[in-house]
Amino acid sequence: ALSTRRIVKMRGGGAGSAGNAQAIKVYYGDMPFWRAECVRIALHIGDIPFEDVRDWAEGQKFATFGALPVMSVNGMVLSQTQAMATYVGKLAGLYPEDSWLAAKHDEAINGCTDVTGTIAGTMRIQDEKEKVKTRAALINPDGRLTLHLSGLEKILAENGSNGATVGDSLTVADLAIWRLAGWLSSGLLDGLPKGYVTDPTSAHRFPAIAKLFATVEAHEGVISW
């Protein structure tokens, strides 16, 4: 169920943010889903003050395309995860300056969206046995979820499987993949085994994603969040 509880917190605003005069609000429910968390945590790591508005109904007032998360900057609304990730990444210094690496970064964010869309399709299945059966098919070697995750795995492997999506330092895409992988591996999605993506010994084996997950999990900015 989507959270409707109104929680508004002012985040950030330390010494490193004194020159930032922007009024930023991030709207989503009270849940750590990757689409919102990669934006929230990027701002946190960049020490950029923002209002963390965890009120679904309030956010829907500004939902340009009818979906959350959305953010507002000085009263102007920005939606779509990719756009928000790029914007906050640049603000926080968590976005590549190199054009090719920036494109690969964005490719990975969109890959996360593909994964989410595939899982979302199963949420509408009412019969629980059928839902589990459908998800089991998705994680088969020729399943659609395997296809999408293999795409993310390939991007990370092309970067040397070093725990980062591009380059060798943290980006917003790393935060997105980390939260996505944690969700898929939580054991809360019936039909997907616990540790599905994050366990390096998993029978499904996505070692580069597992390496990124462990790397981001240990990042001091993520821990402090």
Side-chain angles (χ1 to χ4, degrees):
L2 301 177
S3 172
T4 57
R5 187 159 56 114
R6 181 169 176 78
I7 300 176
V8 182
K9 293 184 178 180
M10 194 65 197
R11 309 268 191 177
S17 62
N20 178 35
Q22 299 185 90
I24 298 176
K25 298 181 180 181
V26 178
Y27 297 89
Y28 198 60
D30 185 25
M31 62 194 81
F33 194 57
W34 75 268
R35 288 187 182 278
E37 282 290 88
C38 70
V39 174
R40 293 167 175 159
I41 299 177
L43 290 168
H44 166 72
I45 291 174
D47 199 23
I48 299 166
F50 72 102
E51 286 188 51
D52 187 2
V53 184
R54 302 193 178 209
D55 184 328
W56 200 270
E58 183 71 15
Q60 284 291 342
K61 297 176 183 178
F62 309 102
T64 305
F65 294 96
L68 300 182
V70 297
M71 65 185 297
S72 68
V73 181
N74 296 331
M76 299 179 292
V77 175
L78 184 64
S79 64
Q80 300 293 357
T81 304
Q82 173 62 76
M84 291 184 287
T86 299
Y87 180 74
V88 301
K90 290 180 178 180
L91 286 183
L94 300 177
Y95 190 80
E97 294 185 2
D98 178 83
S99 296
W100 176 255
L101 294 183
K104 296 299 292 185
H105 174 282
D106 296 351
E107 181 184 24
I109 293 279
N110 286 313
C112 292
T113 297
D114 286 345
V115 170
T116 303
T118 295
I119 291 295
T122 68
M123 299 291 190
R124 293 186 286 270
I125 301 174
Q126 298 299 314
D127 184 271
E128 289 302 316
K129 290 184 179 180
E130 184 63 27
K131 182 182 294 185
V132 170
K133 180 181 178 181
T134 300
R135 288 178 178 167
L138 291 176
I139 66 176
N140 281 338
D142 60 349
R144 188 158 185 80
L145 191 55
T146 301
L147 171 69
H148 291 325
L149 289 170
S150 294
L152 289 175
E153 180 76 12
K154 181 179 180 181
I155 292 172
L156 303 186
E158 287 174 348
N159 193 51
S161 299
N162 64 350
T165 305
V166 295
D168 56 8
S169 59
L170 186 76
T171 62
V172 186
D174 298 335
L175 296 171
I177 294 172
W178 164 71
R179 267 300 191 219
L180 176 72
W183 175 56
L184 295 175
S185 302
S186 65
L188 299 176
L189 292 169
D190 293 338
L192 272 60
K194 189 174 179 64
Y196 166 51
V197 182
T198 59
D199 184 351
T201 67
S202 167
H204 300 279
R205 295 285 293 155
F206 296 101
I209 297 178
K211 174 68 179 296
L212 180 146
F213 180 84
T215 300
V216 176
E217 187 90 343
H219 190 281
E220 61 180 11
V222 170
I223 294 171
S224 66
W225 172 254

